[in-house]
Amino acid sequence: MNKKSANTQHQVEQALFQLMQAEKFDNISITTISEKAKVSRMSFYRNYTSKEDILNKFLVRLYDKFLFDVAAQKLTQVTQLLDIYFSYFQENPQIIRAITNAGVEGLALRMQTAFFRDFFEKRFGEKQVISLYDVSYYSGAVFSVLILWNQENYQKPLTELVAQTSKIMSKELENYPDTNH
């Protein structure tokens, strides 16, 4: 991707997230996004096919970064994953506020569930893949905790939140053999 395209994408993403903090996603038009981003509709369509595409690409990059961090640090423990996850959103609270205000929690949760599935497949190995129902359960629970934590302005200390959430998940995951140890 060239520098101009990357700059356009950044402007469009910033514009969308600013708009999502004030409006429902369905009420935001591509024209409004383009005007807020100060890019032409032609530039918009060179980079995206729709406003959903903006959100999808942003979330894919976000979760790819998480997976990269997990792989680079060779993290295999649920506590470590949750620490990276919750830390990111604590440092970037506007993302969850925009997602919940705009009413696109379902899209974000689907992306997160795919991220969790990748993490668990790497943790347990291909032969011992955790059930998709279990992955969906954990992803939904963690996402709900994140939304609540955001609504309470991150009052609960990160270490307590991670310890409490990972304690519940780790107890459940004891039934799955950990092939990485």
Side-chain angles (χ1 to χ4, degrees):
M1 171 183 343
N2 67 38
K3 190 174 181 176
K4 185 175 180 177
S5 184
N7 188 43
T8 298
Q9 288 181 7
H10 178 73
Q11 289 173 254
V12 169
E13 283 176 6
Q14 292 300 310
L16 177 61
F17 274 91
Q18 287 174 4
L19 291 165
M20 285 171 52
Q21 291 182 38
E23 303 242 1
K24 293 292 180 199
F25 190 74
D26 291 342
N27 297 337
I28 301 170
S29 69
I30 290 172
T31 300
T32 305
I33 296 168
S34 297
E35 288 172 357
K36 180 95 173 153
K38 296 182 173 125
V39 300
S40 69
R41 285 178 60 91
M42 185 180 291
S43 291
F44 177 93
Y45 283 112
R46 264 187 250 136
N47 291 278
Y48 300 102
T49 58
S50 65
K51 62 185 179 181
E52 291 82 2
D53 191 31
I54 303 166
L55 200 51
N56 281 330
K57 286 180 179 177
F58 173 80
L59 292 171
V60 164
R61 275 197 321 280
L62 171 69
Y63 288 119
D64 281 349
K65 180 189 177 313
F66 284 142
L67 287 174
F68 178 80
D69 288 348
V70 167
Q73 296 177 43
K74 298 181 179 169
L75 306 179
T76 60
Q77 301 300 312
V78 171
T79 303
Q80 297 166 322
L81 169 73
L82 292 173
D83 188 60
I84 287 176
Y85 173 86
F86 286 124
S87 292
Y88 177 82
F89 288 109
Q90 185 178 34
E91 293 166 9
N92 299 282
Q94 72 283 2
I95 293 172
I96 291 300
R97 285 193 185 111
I99 286 169
T100 56
N101 184 65
V104 290
E105 299 93 340
L107 177 61
L109 181 57
R110 280 192 299 280
M111 297 296 286
Q112 176 179 292
T113 302
F115 158 68
F116 270 48
R117 186 175 47 246
D118 287 348
F119 171 78
F120 285 121
E121 285 177 359
K122 286 176 176 66
R123 180 172 189 248
F124 293 112
E126 291 182 26
K127 294 181 182 176
Q128 297 289 337
V129 176
I130 190 169
S131 147
L132 290 178
Y133 289 98
D134 288 345
V135 171
S136 294
Y137 170 79
Y138 298 130
S139 179
V142 169
F143 194 67
S144 293
V145 167
L146 174 62
I147 290 172
L148 176 61
W149 195 40
N150 180 272
Q151 290 169 344
E152 293 181 343
N153 293 313
Y154 304 93
Q155 289 179 15
K156 186 177 200 112
L158 174 66
T159 54
E160 283 182 35
L161 185 72
V162 169
Q164 182 179 13
T165 308
S166 66
K167 179 180 175 184
I168 294 165
M169 287 178 68
S170 294
K171 184 173 174 104
E172 290 285 325
L173 292 171
E174 286 174 0
N175 296 328
Y176 291 91
D178 190 343
T179 58
N180 290 327
H181 287 94

